[in-house]
Amino acid sequence: MPHPPWASINPVMTQDLQNPPASALPASVDVVVVGAGVVGLAHAALAADRGLSVLVIDRDHRAVGASIRNFGHCCITAQTGGLYELAMAGRKHWLDFSARAGFWSTESGAVVVARTATELQVLRELAERREPGQIVLLTAAETLTRLGRGQDAPAATEASAPNESADVVGGAWLRDDLRVDPRTTVANLAAWLDTQQDIAVRWNTSALGFEAGTTRTAMVRTSRGVVEADQVFVCVGHDVDLLFPDVAEQHRIERCSLQMAAAGAPGGLELEPAVLTATSMLRYGAFVELPSAAALLAQVQGQDPELLAIGANVMFTQRPDGTLLLGDSHAYQKTADPFLAESTSDLLLDRIKGVLGVESLTVTERWQGIYASSDVGPILVANIRPGITAVSVTAGIGMTVSFGLAERNVNALP
Ligand SMILES: Cc1cc2nc3c(=O)[nH]c(=O)nc-3n(C[C@H](O)[C@H](O)[C@H](O)COP(=O)(O)OP(=O)(O)OC[C@H]3O[C@@H](n4cnc5c(N)ncnc54)[C@H](O)[C@@H]3O)c2cc1C
């Protein structure tokens, strides 16, 4: 009988799997972490620091999720209540693991640029609520200097007289904010963790299901076999609905998709802090709860409604190589629309050029980022069954709160 035509061009591959490949998983560890984004790695790092054996698995060959697509901004100062506590608790861990694992970080703080008296008033109100020195109010000249626009600064007398129609009328420096490089941090942290005793990071290994264990409390079925553990943290970001649809439905989880761009630094600009603007103040909790927040919203609605229509948070940071990370817009759907709207990119770029006082920016990359979002609350920690906990940051602050949240969850282990 002749071979079917495909047999010669597509021979069936066979492989002897009697000897387990080098990538085989350990049969049993104290803690399994599913997902090697920043939330999963923070749980792995702090569990290992407690002396527990840890296995991290990620379905992809390297991290390409929300944790590498963001601004790398630990937006600590603008959080409020429990999120502020998590952000502050995580701050020391960011600096500690930056030193130990050797990834770049800077205690840069953030600058919030004010272009109207209302924006300045919001900044003043937050400064009054915080300990002296945490939020430093800036004159127009000081703000421009921190934006690398020192030559544009008005004379001191003008700076002290805010004018609604002026470019920059003042600002604030948020002392406690940190920055890391989103493109390299997760890869470096994962690689370093993998070199530590009692931690293994295994890529291209998907979690497929979760059950009770036979020798330990829980069992994870993966695409490379089963692993048993006393505790499993499932940190799969916005894909929590793919594994636990009922939990995601209860927490009303959606995907928030954001448009981002990278550009070369105009004129060799060197920018230390993260830069936030009025639309940032409309999004972060510490600003939103202030008495003048409503007036700020009304002002932006009146002056720049297009920004609200795309859910803009006009902000930017600079990577260590000088590249500017520019963003962002927000759209909420259960399944994200994959297409980027050029009009959204144009609008964001236009407003950022205004803040930087430049005529043009040379865009080198554009991308979509997605994070989990919920109107129920900004954090999901759900006990799925004994020893299996789903953890997802359901707001755009996962870099900021990851280590604080991990500390809380790991400390709660028996
Ligand atoms: C454009 C953008 C800007 C942002 N800016 C900021 C900011 O400035 N500051 C801030 O604090 N936060 C910011 N965020 C939010 C922050 O990036 C996220 O909250 C955070 O990165 C979420 O981390 P994560 O580890 O939960 O998710 P991810 O980084 O998405 O990682 C989840 C991992 O789980 C893996 N995975 C999924 N399913 C499985 C499975 N079944 N088995 C194995 N592995 C699986 C994926 O491969 C992935 O690597 C921003 C987000 C975006 C998109």
PDB file of all heavy atoms in Angstrom, residues 48-49 167 247 258 304 330 383:
ATOM      1  N   ALA A  48      10.570  32.090  49.394  1.00  0.00           N
ATOM      2  CA  ALA A  48      11.925  31.521  49.518  1.00  0.00           C
ATOM      3  C   ALA A  48      12.665  32.161  50.679  1.00  0.00           C
ATOM      4  O   ALA A  48      13.408  31.478  51.401  1.00  0.00           O
ATOM      5  CB  ALA A  48      12.682  31.720  48.210  1.00  0.00           C
ATOM      6  N   ASP A  49      12.476  33.465  50.873  1.00  0.00           N
ATOM      7  CA  ASP A  49      13.127  34.132  52.012  1.00  0.00           C
ATOM      8  C   ASP A  49      12.657  33.555  53.347  1.00  0.00           C
ATOM      9  O   ASP A  49      13.339  33.684  54.357  1.00  0.00           O
ATOM     10  CB  ASP A  49      12.838  35.644  51.987  1.00  0.00           C
ATOM     11  CG  ASP A  49      13.880  36.405  51.177  1.00  0.00           C
ATOM     12  OD1 ASP A  49      14.778  35.754  50.588  1.00  0.00           O
ATOM     13  OD2 ASP A  49      13.818  37.651  51.138  1.00  0.00           O
ATOM     14  N   ASP A 167       1.655  77.701  30.669  1.00  0.00           N
ATOM     15  CA  ASP A 167       2.044  76.333  30.347  1.00  0.00           C
ATOM     16  C   ASP A 167       2.084  75.510  31.631  1.00  0.00           C
ATOM     17  O   ASP A 167       1.151  74.785  31.961  1.00  0.00           O
ATOM     18  CB  ASP A 167       3.396  76.408  29.638  1.00  0.00           C
ATOM     19  CG  ASP A 167       3.995  75.055  29.399  1.00  0.00           C
ATOM     20  OD1 ASP A 167       3.260  74.069  29.514  1.00  0.00           O
ATOM     21  OD2 ASP A 167       5.192  74.993  29.092  1.00  0.00           O
ATOM     22  N   VAL A 247     -14.975  32.624  39.838  1.00  0.00           N
ATOM     23  CA  VAL A 247     -14.368  33.607  40.745  1.00  0.00           C
ATOM     24  C   VAL A 247     -14.231  34.948  40.019  1.00  0.00           C
ATOM     25  O   VAL A 247     -14.539  36.018  40.568  1.00  0.00           O
ATOM     26  CB  VAL A 247     -12.978  33.109  41.217  1.00  0.00           C
ATOM     27  CG1 VAL A 247     -12.237  34.192  41.983  1.00  0.00           C
ATOM     28  CG2 VAL A 247     -13.133  31.852  42.065  1.00  0.00           C
ATOM     29  N   LEU A 258      -4.554  49.031  27.228  1.00  0.00           N
ATOM     30  CA  LEU A 258      -3.931  50.355  27.220  1.00  0.00           C
ATOM     31  C   LEU A 258      -3.033  50.499  26.001  1.00  0.00           C
ATOM     32  O   LEU A 258      -2.362  49.545  25.614  1.00  0.00           O
ATOM     33  CB  LEU A 258      -3.066  50.546  28.483  1.00  0.00           C
ATOM     34  CG  LEU A 258      -3.733  50.371  29.852  1.00  0.00           C
ATOM     35  CD1 LEU A 258      -3.748  48.907  30.262  1.00  0.00           C
ATOM     36  CD2 LEU A 258      -3.021  51.190  30.907  1.00  0.00           C
ATOM     37  N   ASP A 304     -10.657  69.505  28.106  1.00  0.00           N
ATOM     38  CA  ASP A 304     -10.009  68.481  27.283  1.00  0.00           C
ATOM     39  C   ASP A 304     -10.813  67.176  27.317  1.00  0.00           C
ATOM     40  O   ASP A 304     -10.291  66.114  27.723  1.00  0.00           O
ATOM     41  CB  ASP A 304      -8.585  68.245  27.810  1.00  0.00           C
ATOM     42  CG  ASP A 304      -7.629  67.866  26.693  1.00  0.00           C
ATOM     43  OD1 ASP A 304      -8.128  67.524  25.596  1.00  0.00           O
ATOM     44  OD2 ASP A 304      -6.408  67.893  26.910  1.00  0.00           O
ATOM     45  N   HIS A 330      -7.213  53.831  28.380  1.00  0.00           N
ATOM     46  CA  HIS A 330      -7.815  52.694  29.085  1.00  0.00           C
ATOM     47  C   HIS A 330      -9.140  52.327  28.436  1.00  0.00           C
ATOM     48  O   HIS A 330     -10.011  53.191  28.297  1.00  0.00           O
ATOM     49  CB  HIS A 330      -8.071  53.036  30.562  1.00  0.00           C
ATOM     50  CG  HIS A 330      -6.813  53.300  31.337  1.00  0.00           C
ATOM     51  ND1 HIS A 330      -6.109  54.473  31.232  1.00  0.00           N
ATOM     52  CD2 HIS A 330      -6.123  52.527  32.220  1.00  0.00           C
ATOM     53  CE1 HIS A 330      -5.040  54.417  32.021  1.00  0.00           C
ATOM     54  NE2 HIS A 330      -5.012  53.249  32.628  1.00  0.00           N
ATOM     55  N   ASN A 383      -9.509  32.105  47.912  1.00  0.00           N
ATOM     56  CA  ASN A 383      -9.160  30.725  48.246  1.00  0.00           C
ATOM     57  C   ASN A 383     -10.026  29.798  47.411  1.00  0.00           C
ATOM     58  O   ASN A 383     -11.234  29.715  47.608  1.00  0.00           O
ATOM     59  CB  ASN A 383      -9.357  30.473  49.741  1.00  0.00           C
ATOM     60  CG  ASN A 383      -8.325  31.252  50.530  1.00  0.00           C
ATOM     61  OD1 ASN A 383      -7.160  31.344  50.138  1.00  0.00           O
ATOM     62  ND2 ASN A 383      -8.755  31.871  51.617  1.00  0.00           N
TER      63      ASN A 383
END
